[in-house]
Every structure is written in C-alpha cells, then in structure tokens.
Amino acid sequence: MKNGKLSGKKLKWFRAVAFCLPLVILVFAELFLRLFNYGHNTSLFIRYPDNPDYWVINKYASERYFTDTANATKGGIEPFKVVKAKNSFRIFVLGESTTAGYPYLHNGSFHRWLQYRLMHTYPGLQFEVINVSLTAVNSYTVLDFGKQVVKYQPDAVLVYTGHNEYYGALGIGSTSHIANNRLLVKTVLALKELRLVQLINNTMSSFKPASADIDQRNNLMERMARQQEIGYQSDAYKAGIDQFKNNMDELCNFMQQQKVPVFLSTLVSNQKDLKPFISGPVKSAVSADNQFALATASYQKGNYAVAKQQYIKAKELDQLRFRAPEAMNRAIIGLAKKYSNVHLVNALEVFEQHSPHGILGSETLLEHVHPNLYGYALLSEAFYQSIRESNLIKAYAEKEMSFANLIDKMPVTKVDSLYGAYTIMMLQAGWPFNKPIPAGFKRGISMEEQLAGALSVNRISWLDAMNQLFKYSMQANDKKTALKAVEAVMLEKPQNTTYPVFAGRLSFELGDTASAVYYFKKAYELAPSFTNIQNIYLVYLKSDLPANAIPYIDMALKQNPAYAGLSNMRAMVLDIIRLKKATAQTVDKVAYGRIAANYHAIGADEAALKYN
C-alpha cells in the first residue's frame, strides 16, 4: 500500500469480498431460518404424516401463487405409495376447480369416476389417480405442478385447465397479478420458496392496516377479480391467451422431453343457460347482451346452428372473463398436434353430443363452467376413451365397464348431489350471479337432506356424512345405498383394509358376485390374511363356482398346512366339481343331493339351494 491506496491485487480481493459478503450473509440467514423451521416447505408433496410410506399433497404448496396467502386454496388428501408397486398404474391430474370436482369434490370429481371405471375394467392393476388440482389457480400453477409430478413415476398426466387465466392466481386481471412478463413471474415464484423471502413477506404483512384485511364475506371469485372488465380483443384479453399458450406449450414440451404421456382436454362452459355477466353498450357491436338475446330468439325459432354461434359470440363478448375464450380450445387442439406424446381429450365434443342440438347448457353444467354430476361423468368418459384409444394400458380388460353401467354403479350418493346443489345455491346468491335463494326455501327432513345441509355449512365432515349414511341405510335395509356409501369412502381411503370387506359382503348380498370377488381380492392385496383368503374362496363357493375357489383354498393351505378342515373342504370341492361335470348334460337327483350336502357341509348354503 502506497499513499493509503490498495495495490491492484488487493483491490480485486477487496471488491470480491465486498461482493460476496452480502451473499454469504443471505445464505447463512436462509440456512438459519431453515434450521429453526421458520416458514413453509412449498414442495408439491410431503411424506404423509399418518403413514410415511405414502406421499401426499403439501397444504402449503399453493401459497407461492397467491399474493395474499389468505386466498390460497388447498388440495385434497390423496396419498400414494413412496415405493411404486409393480402392478400399479399411476396417473396425476392437473387443473383448476372443475378438475378438482367443485362443488361436489370427493367422488363427484371426474378423476374418481375415471378411477372407478378403470379399476373395475382392469382389476389386475392397482390404479393410483392423484388429483393435485386447486381452486382459483391457472396455467402457472399447472405448469409448476406438472414439472414436479414427473419425479414421482407417472404413467400418465391428465390436464384440464384454461378458465382461470384471467382471475386465477397470477391471472391477468386477478388480485394476485404480478406482471405479464413470464420470466419475472417465474423468478418471483422461485424466490418465494426461500424462507428469507417468506420472512420479509410476513413482516410486511404485519404492518398492513386492519382495513386492508380480506373481507371473508365476499366469495373467492369476487376477492380474486381485480380487473372486472376485459374487453374482447383488448390487450389484457390477448395477454391472457398468450399466457395460457406459452405456459401450456412449455408444459407439453417438458413432458415430451421426459417421455410422459399427457392427456390434454378441451374446455366446456355454459352457452345457453347463462346470461353474460358484464356486457358492452346495448345494441353496439360489442354488446354481449344483444348477442345473447339474438341467440335465444334463434333457438326458440329452431335455428339451432345459428343460435349456437350467437351464444358462443355472446360468451366471447362477456367482459367478465370467467369462461375461457374459444382461442384456448384452439390452442389445446394445436398442442395435441404439435407434440406426439400429447393426446387430445375432446371433452367439448363429448358434451355437445350429449346436449340438445349440440348447445351446452343446464343439462350438463351447474352455472358458468362447473359440470353437474352427469357432466363430470361425461368428462370422465372423454378422458377414458382417449386413454383407451392410446393403448397405454397393457393389462387385460376382463369386462369393460360401459358408460351406462358407470352411471348406475358409481358411488356418488344423494348426499353428494344435494350438497352440490346447496353449495351452488349459496355461491349464486353472491357476486357475480346475484341470484337470491328462493323465498321460503327449506331443507327437507330426509336423512340425506339433513346430512347434505350439515355438510354444506361445515358442521360435519364428508367422511362423517358417509358413515352416518351407511349406518342409516343398513338400519333401513337399503343395502344398495349402504354399498354406495362404503364404496365412496373406499375411493377416498384406498389404503384402508376394512372398507373392501364391507363392499364385498354387500355386493354379494345384492347378487353381484363379480364385484364381491373384486373387493375381497382388494382386501387380500391390502392385508394378505387367512380371513381374507377365506372370503375369496367362500364367495366363489356360495356362487356355485367351485373351480374358481380351488386356487384360493390352496393358498389358504399354504398358510395353514396343519389345518385339517381345509384339506377336507378341498376334497369336497373337488367332488362337487366332478359331480357337476357328470351331470352337465343329464339331471341326476342322487348326484344333486350329494352336491347339496357337500355345499352345506362347507358352509355354502346359498349354492346348495340350487341342488336341493
């Protein structure tokens, strides 16, 4: 050092230290906060607290996308195994409130309809269908979640998204809007994973005046919508479409690189039975109300093709953009053509095929975008057919469950249906529908109505409602409803070993041997006990299918080789098989009597009745 000045080499070191020191301090601050568990891990999945052998969605995963975490929505609890079983087929489902199954949730969601159909069509596979959809999010969240699910060995990823591009978290017109620049938005999202940034946000929030707190009296739709008028072909309108296109293109490209099959669906919305929320000036070229009136007139005259286009135009001109523009569907179709691993799920076409004159309305939709139960069944049908056509599932379909059979057997109860109706009624009483609850409305006094009412105001949980419905149905000897309640909970809690046994017994009592066998086998997969093997071979014997019972009697003998009763049973079952073959062409009362006696001796009285 000469004349108080640093040499060139020392000056470089000083500048390097001066530059690095703040970074080192920040790193140590971040490590310190993590060491003392400050803030939240925002990863998509965490180990399930109830069973660390399973992953489950992290309740804090959504907080990064909302500028105010009071609006952050939570996902459902759908555990899946950390160690993926060899005979499992794992599907992740990405999207928004429709994809989550709003307002029914649970088994009302299309992914549960799909799971129920797949597991009965391919009983040899264990289907894990994990829905990570959230209410009030859009393509930013879907993109981010999509990039995370590939780490968990998906066999397929299903995507239904697009309606929330304007008012969902980070949407163009939402209160959680950050910027239209995708790089800036993604940088902010990455920073929000840091505990130091969470500390800064929490500190800033603590200084907010009480008047700035969220008014929870307003529904989430109203709280999220900042720019309520977005004109057709305006800059904000185009920005929403570009945001969707870019995010979904990035997702599809990423999935292609990772060799993960994607099933991407077109979007549906109410065309006929929902007036535009906000219209331009009356009788102007941008008047949504005028177009809607023209469409209704054309429909009443029977000019359905013209009416359809006018209804679509009215939806396009609606300035409150809770329904996706037609450009979103064109983008979805384009992505399916661009990427070889992206399979188009044309839900819009399926809905049109099941709507009067191909115009979507209250026959399949509850309000603006959410399907009714039949609509969710149709959405599952669209995904099912696309998966089927892809030949992605290599397992043998023993007996394909038809769509009509799915509608009949799907374990969605009257409680679920009523709960959805009550929820939508309360939603529509607020903004932007402003549709008052009918004067004099009173909930009924039936058990289903009472349970649905209590559920809609959060007085009981859904699991409590299903358990009470099961007990009531059993007391009333309504075994069909009791079975639906059991199957419903089993879909919600697939790792539970009790529900399949109940479902098997009820299925048998209702005369459905195939379902009984299916559920008893599921029980054995979950808990390979002697009792669960017994259930399998006994249901075959009681159904007069002795040859099917033999392999499971042999399995039981391996577990209990010293159990003499099993050896005697096996001998009697073989005798039944021999006598049945001998009397296949001619009736022999003596042989029939011996068959009946054998069945009685092994506890299969139901089969014995056929031969007495």
Side-chain angles (χ1 to χ4, degrees), residues 193-219:
E193 294 182 28
L194 300 176
R195 309 303 169 88
L196 192 58
V197 173
Q198 293 177 29
L199 174 63
I200 294 168
N201 283 340
N202 292 339
T203 303
M204 292 174 63
S205 297
S206 68
F207 288 106
K208 285 196 312 182
S211 59
D213 290 344
I214 284 178
D215 189 348
Q216 296 290 348
R217 293 172 298 179
N218 298 331
N219 64 36

Short mmCIF file of all heavy atoms in Angstrom, two decimals, residues 193-219:
data_model
loop_
_atom_site.label_atom_id
_atom_site.label_comp_id
_atom_site.label_asym_id
_atom_site.label_seq_id
_atom_site.Cartn_x
_atom_site.Cartn_y
_atom_site.Cartn_z
N GLU A 193 -39.89 -19.53 -2.63
CA GLU A 193 -39.54 -20.79 -1.96
C GLU A 193 -38.57 -20.54 -0.81
O GLU A 193 -38.45 -21.37 0.10
CB GLU A 193 -38.90 -21.75 -2.96
CG GLU A 193 -39.84 -22.23 -4.06
CD GLU A 193 -39.17 -23.21 -4.99
OE1 GLU A 193 -38.24 -23.91 -4.54
OE2 GLU A 193 -39.56 -23.29 -6.16
N LEU A 194 -37.86 -19.40 -0.84
CA LEU A 194 -36.87 -19.08 0.19
C LEU A 194 -37.55 -18.66 1.48
O LEU A 194 -38.49 -17.86 1.48
CB LEU A 194 -35.94 -17.98 -0.30
CG LEU A 194 -35.13 -18.28 -1.57
CD1 LEU A 194 -34.33 -17.06 -1.99
CD2 LEU A 194 -34.20 -19.47 -1.35
N ARG A 195 -37.04 -19.16 2.61
CA ARG A 195 -37.61 -18.79 3.91
C ARG A 195 -37.34 -17.32 4.22
O ARG A 195 -38.13 -16.67 4.91
CB ARG A 195 -37.01 -19.67 5.01
CG ARG A 195 -37.08 -21.17 4.72
CD ARG A 195 -38.50 -21.66 4.48
NE ARG A 195 -38.54 -23.01 3.97
CZ ARG A 195 -38.56 -24.10 4.72
NH1 ARG A 195 -38.55 -24.00 6.03
NH2 ARG A 195 -38.60 -25.30 4.17
N LEU A 196 -36.24 -16.78 3.70
CA LEU A 196 -35.92 -15.37 3.91
C LEU A 196 -36.96 -14.47 3.25
O LEU A 196 -37.39 -13.47 3.84
CB LEU A 196 -34.52 -15.07 3.35
CG LEU A 196 -33.88 -13.73 3.73
CD1 LEU A 196 -33.77 -13.59 5.23
CD2 LEU A 196 -32.52 -13.60 3.06
N VAL A 197 -37.37 -14.84 2.05
CA VAL A 197 -38.41 -14.07 1.36
C VAL A 197 -39.74 -14.22 2.09
O VAL A 197 -40.50 -13.25 2.22
CB VAL A 197 -38.54 -14.54 -0.11
CG1 VAL A 197 -39.72 -13.88 -0.80
CG2 VAL A 197 -37.25 -14.23 -0.86
N GLN A 198 -40.02 -15.42 2.62
CA GLN A 198 -41.25 -15.60 3.40
C GLN A 198 -41.22 -14.72 4.64
O GLN A 198 -42.24 -14.14 5.03
CB GLN A 198 -41.40 -17.08 3.79
CG GLN A 198 -41.66 -18.00 2.61
CD GLN A 198 -41.74 -19.47 3.01
OE1 GLN A 198 -42.13 -19.80 4.14
NE2 GLN A 198 -41.39 -20.36 2.11
N LEU A 199 -40.05 -14.59 5.28
CA LEU A 199 -39.92 -13.72 6.46
C LEU A 199 -40.20 -12.27 6.09
O LEU A 199 -40.92 -11.56 6.81
CB LEU A 199 -38.51 -13.86 7.04
CG LEU A 199 -38.16 -12.91 8.20
CD1 LEU A 199 -39.07 -13.16 9.39
CD2 LEU A 199 -36.68 -13.06 8.58
N ILE A 200 -39.63 -11.83 4.97
CA ILE A 200 -39.85 -10.45 4.52
C ILE A 200 -41.34 -10.21 4.24
O ILE A 200 -41.92 -9.20 4.66
CB ILE A 200 -39.00 -10.14 3.27
CG1 ILE A 200 -37.51 -10.18 3.63
CG2 ILE A 200 -39.38 -8.80 2.67
CD1 ILE A 200 -36.59 -10.17 2.43
N ASN A 201 -41.98 -11.15 3.54
CA ASN A 201 -43.42 -11.02 3.23
C ASN A 201 -44.26 -10.98 4.51
O ASN A 201 -45.18 -10.16 4.64
CB ASN A 201 -43.89 -12.18 2.35
CG ASN A 201 -43.47 -12.03 0.91
OD1 ASN A 201 -43.16 -10.93 0.45
ND2 ASN A 201 -43.44 -13.13 0.18
N ASN A 202 -43.94 -11.86 5.45
CA ASN A 202 -44.70 -11.90 6.70
C ASN A 202 -44.50 -10.61 7.51
O ASN A 202 -45.44 -10.11 8.14
CB ASN A 202 -44.28 -13.10 7.54
CG ASN A 202 -44.70 -14.42 6.90
OD1 ASN A 202 -45.60 -14.46 6.07
ND2 ASN A 202 -44.04 -15.50 7.29
N THR A 203 -43.29 -10.09 7.48
CA THR A 203 -43.01 -8.85 8.20
C THR A 203 -43.79 -7.69 7.59
O THR A 203 -44.40 -6.88 8.31
CB THR A 203 -41.50 -8.54 8.18
OG1 THR A 203 -40.79 -9.64 8.74
CG2 THR A 203 -41.20 -7.27 8.98
N MET A 204 -43.79 -7.62 6.27
CA MET A 204 -44.52 -6.55 5.58
C MET A 204 -46.02 -6.67 5.84
O MET A 204 -46.71 -5.68 6.05
CB MET A 204 -44.23 -6.59 4.08
CG MET A 204 -42.79 -6.22 3.72
SD MET A 204 -42.43 -6.45 1.96
CE MET A 204 -43.56 -5.28 1.22
N SER A 205 -46.53 -7.92 5.86
CA SER A 205 -47.96 -8.14 6.09
C SER A 205 -48.38 -7.71 7.49
O SER A 205 -49.50 -7.25 7.71
CB SER A 205 -48.31 -9.61 5.89
OG SER A 205 -48.08 -10.02 4.56
N SER A 206 -47.46 -7.84 8.45
CA SER A 206 -47.80 -7.48 9.84
C SER A 206 -48.00 -5.99 10.00
O SER A 206 -48.61 -5.54 10.97
CB SER A 206 -46.70 -7.96 10.78
OG SER A 206 -45.50 -7.25 10.57
N PHE A 207 -47.47 -5.19 9.07
CA PHE A 207 -47.62 -3.74 9.15
C PHE A 207 -48.84 -3.23 8.38
O PHE A 207 -49.11 -2.04 8.36
CB PHE A 207 -46.37 -3.04 8.63
CG PHE A 207 -45.19 -3.17 9.57
CD1 PHE A 207 -44.14 -4.02 9.25
CD2 PHE A 207 -45.15 -2.47 10.76
CE1 PHE A 207 -43.07 -4.16 10.11
CE2 PHE A 207 -44.07 -2.59 11.63
CZ PHE A 207 -43.02 -3.44 11.30
N LYS A 208 -49.57 -4.17 7.71
CA LYS A 208 -50.76 -3.74 6.97
C LYS A 208 -51.84 -3.27 7.93
O LYS A 208 -52.07 -3.91 8.97
CB LYS A 208 -51.32 -4.89 6.13
CG LYS A 208 -50.53 -5.19 4.88
CD LYS A 208 -51.32 -6.04 3.89
CE LYS A 208 -51.97 -7.24 4.50
NZ LYS A 208 -52.70 -8.05 3.51
N PRO A 209 -52.54 -2.21 7.60
CA PRO A 209 -53.65 -1.78 8.46
C PRO A 209 -54.78 -2.80 8.43
O PRO A 209 -54.93 -3.56 7.46
CB PRO A 209 -54.09 -0.45 7.83
CG PRO A 209 -53.63 -0.52 6.41
CD PRO A 209 -52.36 -1.33 6.44
N ALA A 210 -55.55 -2.84 9.50
CA ALA A 210 -56.66 -3.80 9.59
C ALA A 210 -57.64 -3.64 8.44
O ALA A 210 -58.26 -4.60 7.99
CB ALA A 210 -57.38 -3.63 10.93
N SER A 211 -57.78 -2.42 7.94
CA SER A 211 -58.71 -2.15 6.83
C SER A 211 -58.30 -2.85 5.55
O SER A 211 -59.09 -3.01 4.63
CB SER A 211 -58.82 -0.65 6.58
OG SER A 211 -57.52 -0.12 6.26
N ALA A 212 -56.99 -3.27 5.49
CA ALA A 212 -56.51 -3.94 4.28
C ALA A 212 -56.74 -5.44 4.31
O ALA A 212 -56.46 -6.14 3.35
CB ALA A 212 -55.01 -3.67 4.10
N ASP A 213 -57.25 -5.95 5.44
CA ASP A 213 -57.51 -7.39 5.53
C ASP A 213 -58.60 -7.81 4.55
O ASP A 213 -59.49 -7.01 4.20
CB ASP A 213 -57.95 -7.77 6.95
CG ASP A 213 -56.80 -7.66 7.94
OD1 ASP A 213 -55.64 -7.61 7.49
OD2 ASP A 213 -57.08 -7.62 9.15
N ILE A 214 -58.53 -9.08 4.12
CA ILE A 214 -59.52 -9.61 3.18
C ILE A 214 -60.88 -9.69 3.84
O ILE A 214 -61.01 -10.13 4.98
CB ILE A 214 -59.08 -10.99 2.68
CG1 ILE A 214 -57.95 -10.82 1.66
CG2 ILE A 214 -60.21 -11.77 2.06
CD1 ILE A 214 -57.42 -12.11 1.13
N ASP A 215 -61.89 -9.25 3.13
CA ASP A 215 -63.27 -9.37 3.61
C ASP A 215 -63.77 -10.77 3.26
O ASP A 215 -64.12 -11.04 2.12
CB ASP A 215 -64.16 -8.30 2.98
CG ASP A 215 -65.55 -8.25 3.61
OD1 ASP A 215 -65.89 -9.19 4.37
OD2 ASP A 215 -66.30 -7.29 3.34
N GLN A 216 -63.78 -11.66 4.25
CA GLN A 216 -64.15 -13.05 4.01
C GLN A 216 -65.64 -13.19 3.67
O GLN A 216 -66.09 -14.27 3.29
CB GLN A 216 -63.82 -13.90 5.24
CG GLN A 216 -62.32 -13.97 5.55
CD GLN A 216 -61.54 -14.78 4.53
OE1 GLN A 216 -62.12 -15.49 3.72
NE2 GLN A 216 -60.22 -14.66 4.56
N ARG A 217 -66.41 -12.11 3.81
CA ARG A 217 -67.83 -12.19 3.43
C ARG A 217 -67.99 -12.29 1.92
O ARG A 217 -69.01 -12.77 1.42
CB ARG A 217 -68.59 -10.97 3.98
CG ARG A 217 -68.69 -10.92 5.50
CD ARG A 217 -69.29 -9.62 5.97
NE ARG A 217 -68.44 -8.48 5.58
CZ ARG A 217 -68.73 -7.21 5.84
NH1 ARG A 217 -69.84 -6.89 6.50
NH2 ARG A 217 -67.91 -6.25 5.48
N ASN A 218 -66.99 -11.78 1.20
CA ASN A 218 -67.02 -11.90 -0.25
C ASN A 218 -66.53 -13.28 -0.65
O ASN A 218 -65.58 -13.82 -0.05
CB ASN A 218 -66.12 -10.84 -0.89
CG ASN A 218 -66.58 -9.43 -0.57
OD1 ASN A 218 -67.77 -9.19 -0.36
ND2 ASN A 218 -65.64 -8.49 -0.51
N ASN A 219 -67.16 -13.87 -1.68
CA ASN A 219 -66.70 -15.19 -2.11
C ASN A 219 -65.35 -15.07 -2.82
O ASN A 219 -64.89 -13.97 -3.17
CB ASN A 219 -67.76 -15.88 -2.97
CG ASN A 219 -68.03 -15.16 -4.27
OD1 ASN A 219 -67.14 -14.59 -4.89
ND2 ASN A 219 -69.28 -15.16 -4.71
#
